[in-house]
Amino acid sequence: DICFRVEALEDIDFWQVLIAERVKGKKVRFLPFVRMGEKRITGKSYIMKHSSQANPNYVLCVDSDFDYILGRENFDAEHYILQTYTYSWENHHCWGGALQAEWENWRDKTAFDFTAFLVALSTTIYETFVIMLTKKRLSHKGLTLDAMCNAIDSVQGNQKDLLQNNGEGVLQRIKINIDNLLERAGEEPAEELQVTIQRLEELGVTATNCYLYMQGHSIYNLVSRIGKALLNESFEYQVLRRSFSVDNSYSELNHIKADIRKVVRQG
């Protein structure tokens, strides 16, 4: 009855959880790639080539990346496109409310507060995040998403001495890396920065939640490394993966659920 084209195999679980209730009684298929001879073609760029073909029986499911923030045209449920609203689906596994609630089951092992850590991380990267988005919007060089991700990825969150006071040492090292980026980034006009900030505010992106809009792999991997250091290798599946649920409630997830109600008709 409905085919959902997703970016890759690992995306299926995320979308499956969200659409399950709406597709009861329907025959559903997920398409994570297309074969070209011996090669499997995956990814968002390939999926978006199908945007003109999308319809109630052929729905595209993609990561928002920065298309949502930058206002890509025809990138919405009206065109049978479901998107993550956060940068990618991995960010949804790091939503502080559910993650910390799941972690409460293990608090006897450590008093680490993931919500406090993620808020502090957002505050640490927000200024640079605004500058990076402004440069991207204006097609200016000097600071990229990859550079910001490297500033985060290079910090080893699995060192226990860095995890005292809710990861204070991790945050300090990330700040040093971020500050080094800013020194080399080059300035942008204040009025252009304000345009970016206003757009972010309209979307509900703030200095305390912008981690949801950073590349999902970087945030997910950082949280996973911290959790494994605090608990053990089971953290990713006992806590991080388990914290995601269709019953969670925050604006980015609620937007997806509203889109699914529009796109997937019951009956």
Side-chain angles (χ1 to χ4, degrees), residues 200-218:
L200 292 174
E201 288 177 347
E202 290 170 356
L203 300 177
V205 187
T206 69
T208 59
N209 72 356
C210 71
Y211 78 92
L212 288 170
Y213 296 84
M214 271 295 293
Q215 192 174 64
H217 285 110
S218 288

Side-chain angles (χ1 to χ4, degrees), residues 39-69:
K39 190 175 182 181
R40 290 182 174 186
I41 308 297
T42 63
K44 181 177 179 178
S45 60
Y46 176 77
I47 287 181
M48 293 308 295
K49 291 179 181 178
H50 294 236
S51 58
S52 63
Q53 303 170 34
N55 62 63
N57 307 107
Y58 182 57
V59 178
L60 310 184
C61 303
V62 296
D63 291 337
S64 292
D65 301 323
F66 288 141
D67 288 334
Y68 173 57
I69 289 177

Side-chain angles (χ1 to χ4, degrees), residues 60-241:
L60 310 184
C61 303
V62 296
D63 291 337
S64 292
D65 301 323
F66 288 141
D67 288 334
Y68 173 57
I69 289 177
L70 297 178
R72 179 173 181 167
E73 291 185 357
N74 302 327
F75 188 69
D76 52 40
E78 303 299 325
H79 293 83
Y80 301 101
I81 296 172
L82 299 177
Q83 60 171 304
T84 55
Y85 287 95
T86 61
Y87 188 92
S88 67
W89 63 264
E90 287 94 338
N91 300 86
H92 287 280
H93 284 274
C94 301
W95 179 58
L99 179 59
Q100 185 58 29
E102 196 65 44
W103 179 243
E104 291 293 331
N105 297 320
W106 307 88
R107 275 183 70 91
D108 59 324
K109 299 192 180 288
T110 178
F112 194 92
D113 188 324
F114 280 98
T115 301
F117 173 79
L118 290 166
V119 168
L121 174 63
S122 290
T123 303
T124 300
I125 67 175
Y126 180 73
E127 179 185 0
T128 313
F129 182 73
V130 169
I131 294 171
M132 181 268 294
L133 279 175
T134 303
K135 288 183 179 294
K136 187 172 181 65
R137 177 170 57 82
L138 299 174
S139 298
H140 290 178
K141 296 182 178 179
L143 181 61
T144 64
L145 174 63
D146 284 345
M148 284 194 68
C149 288
N150 288 336
I152 294 171
D153 295 342
S154 63
V155 177
Q156 297 301 310
N158 55 1
Q159 298 178 31
K160 288 191 175 181
D161 59 317
L162 301 180
L163 300 180
Q164 300 298 316
N165 300 319
N166 300 321
E168 187 175 63
V170 172
L171 294 167
Q172 287 174 349
R173 293 197 178 184
I174 290 175
K175 186 177 188 310
I176 290 170
N177 292 345
I178 290 291
D179 288 346
N180 288 337
L181 286 180
L182 283 180
E183 289 179 7
R184 305 189 303 270
E187 296 183 357
E188 293 295 334
E191 59 270 23
E192 292 293 354
L193 295 175
Q194 191 55 45
V195 168
T196 301
I197 291 171
Q198 183 175 344
R199 170 63 177 169
L200 292 174
E201 288 177 347
E202 290 170 356
L203 300 177
V205 187
T206 69
T208 59
N209 72 356
C210 71
Y211 78 92
L212 288 170
Y213 296 84
M214 271 295 293
Q215 192 174 64
H217 285 110
S218 288
I219 303 303
Y220 183 96
N221 290 342
L222 176 62
V223 171
S224 185
R225 287 195 299 268
I226 290 172
K228 289 176 182 178
L230 295 171
L231 185 58
N232 53 47
E233 289 294 320
S234 70
F235 175 85
E236 182 176 359
Y237 289 93
Q238 293 291 343
V239 181
L240 189 53
R241 290 276 181 167

